[in-house]
Amino acid sequence: MIEAAMIWNEPNNKSHWDPEIDPDWSSYADHVIRAGNAIATINPAVTRVLGGMSPIDPQWVNRMRTHGALDAVDVVAVHGFPLDWNLWSIHDWPKKIAEIEEVVTDKPIWVTEVGVGSFGAEEVQVFGVEKTAELLIGRVPNVYWYSLFDLPQAWGATTRHREAEGSSYYRHFYMGLIREDGTPKPALDVYARHAADMGLMQWFHFEDPRLDEAVDWLKRLGTRKLRTGLSWADRFRPNALDWFDRQMEALADFEVTVTFCFTPEHLGVQPHHTSPARDPQMFADFCAEMIDRYAPAQSGAGQASPLKLVASA
């Protein structure tokens, strides 16, 4: 069910990794090395992806190389939202890719999140899908549009800035191709023309009621590739594995890149999902457990060491 595994989401964005605790990202690199090695031990055929960076930053990539993290991954990933949050033009996409290629000459670059919201006008999103397809399809091996669904207003966005961002915060709720009420936006038809070559990125919350509807839309659109997440923090909820099983079974017909992230509060250096783990090996064990459960190696591959993770811990 899993083609690739991404090790964290936007680790150079303080909404997803706390730079006050880990200012030089050495702890993050340790998480990557341990998780990358654990994934390879369970199934070396799974592609390991460095957590998609946002902002796109060659200096951060060089820091990851210095820490040894690039040796534990097969792909380097970038995220970009030039019409909503980034301070560069959508026409600069080829330039931004080239900046990372200059410092990573030995690994492919994937765009694992790219999006244009409909906050200002839905016509802007139509342009965004078309221009993104024009600039990125064929330029990089994989492109994932963010996202299929608008984020429901009542759920709140995963960001540390919240309303202090001004309109930037509210843009989080308008990135989907389908409105919160389930009706399609004009950009959905544009995406459908590119669905065979452009994947979708869709987060599913714990026991997300939109899962089956999402699968129906993905199949109708002709989407082949999907990026989503399995939350380490959710692993400690009651019935976590039942939900993970349901989610991954529902997505079995797609080529899935799964993102492993979100620190359980009781295991963090600080009690927050952006905190490094006190014991990074426990994050690696979670990654190994998920790969063993949903992407086990074919017969003849090596076996992993026993896992330390206990759901009731």
Side-chain angles (χ1 to χ4, degrees):
M1 298 180 187
I2 297 175
E3 174 191 34
M6 177 177 284
I7 304 172
W8 218 263
N9 178 67
E10 299 185 1
N12 63 331
N13 178 341
K14 70 177 183 179
S15 288
H16 298 279
W17 189 264
D18 192 335
E20 294 185 4
I21 302 174
D22 185 28
D24 67 349
W25 285 276
S26 58
S27 181
Y28 171 68
D30 187 22
H31 285 62
V32 171
I33 293 166
R34 292 170 183 268
N37 291 340
I39 291 165
T41 298
I42 296 294
N43 187 349
V46 172
T47 299
R48 301 163 301 170
V49 185
L50 185 69
M53 74 188 83
S54 181
I56 298 173
D57 183 356
Q59 293 183 351
W60 183 80
V61 177
N62 280 332
R63 187 185 294 266
M64 290 300 99
R65 186 183 297 281
T66 299
H67 288 320
L70 295 192
D71 294 333
V73 298
D74 308 297
V75 169
V76 171
V78 301
H79 295 176
F81 306 91
L83 295 184
D84 289 278
W85 293 305
N86 297 141
L87 301 179
W88 43 272
S89 167
I90 193 171
H91 301 279
D92 287 340
W93 260 118
K95 176 183 176 182
K96 303 306 287 187
I97 298 298
E99 288 177 0
I100 303 304
E101 290 175 333
E102 287 180 6
V103 297
V104 183
T105 60
D106 57 341
K107 302 178 191 298
I109 311 302
W110 291 5
V111 179
T112 47
E113 274 189 44
V114 54
V116 173
S118 61
F119 178 80
E122 292 187 343
E123 292 82 359
V124 173
Q125 189 179 52
V126 170
F127 164 79
V129 175
E130 194 62 69
K131 182 56 66 172
T132 298
E134 174 190 327
L135 293 171
L136 291 180
I137 291 176
R139 179 64 181 81
V140 292
N142 280 316
V143 183
Y144 297 82
W145 182 266
Y146 176 80
S147 61
L148 178 62
F149 293 132
D150 275 349
L151 178 66
Q153 294 277 343
W155 290 9
T158 303
T159 172
R160 300 184 72 165
H161 309 287
R162 300 254 170 211
E163 285 79 357
E165 293 180 321
S167 69
S168 293
Y169 175 72
Y170 295 98
R171 292 172 184 269
H172 285 280
F173 300 95
Y174 295 89
M175 303 303 292
L177 299 170
I178 298 172
R179 303 181 189 94
E180 183 177 355
D181 65 6
T183 58
K185 300 178 187 178
L188 185 70
D189 287 339
V190 181
Y191 169 79
R193 298 201 296 268
H194 303 286
D197 301 307
M198 183 188 291
L200 275 168
M201 195 285 154
Q202 180 64 55
W203 295 108
F204 293 106
H205 289 220
F206 187 75
E207 297 182 341
D208 197 318
R210 307 169 302 172
L211 177 61
D212 293 335
E213 182 183 1
V215 171
D216 289 343
W217 272 113
L218 292 168
K219 291 182 176 180
R220 288 164 59 185
L221 291 166
T223 302
R224 298 184 299 109
K225 291 178 177 284
L226 176 74
R227 177 176 164 243
T228 191
L230 290 176
S231 166
W232 185 26
D234 284 349
R235 178 64 180 86
F236 294 89
R237 293 176 182 260
N239 304 315
L241 289 180
D242 290 342
W243 165 245
F244 288 171
D245 287 351
R246 180 169 178 265
Q247 177 180 338
M248 298 310 295
E249 182 179 2
L251 303 178
D253 291 336
F254 306 99
E255 298 173 44
V256 176
T257 293
V258 65
T259 306
F260 299 130
C261 59
F262 298 142
T263 303
E265 290 189 359
H266 67 287
L267 296 180
V269 175
Q270 295 292 329
H272 197 272
H273 69 271
T274 66
S275 173
R278 293 195 305 273
D279 179 2
Q281 186 58 42
M282 295 192 73
F283 172 66
D285 289 346
F286 166 72
C287 297
E289 180 193 26
M290 295 297 98
I291 295 298
D292 192 42
R293 192 174 187 90
Y294 303 117
Q298 301 299 312
S299 59
Q303 299 296 315
S305 59
L307 300 170
K308 294 189 291 183
L309 188 63
V310 179
S312 60

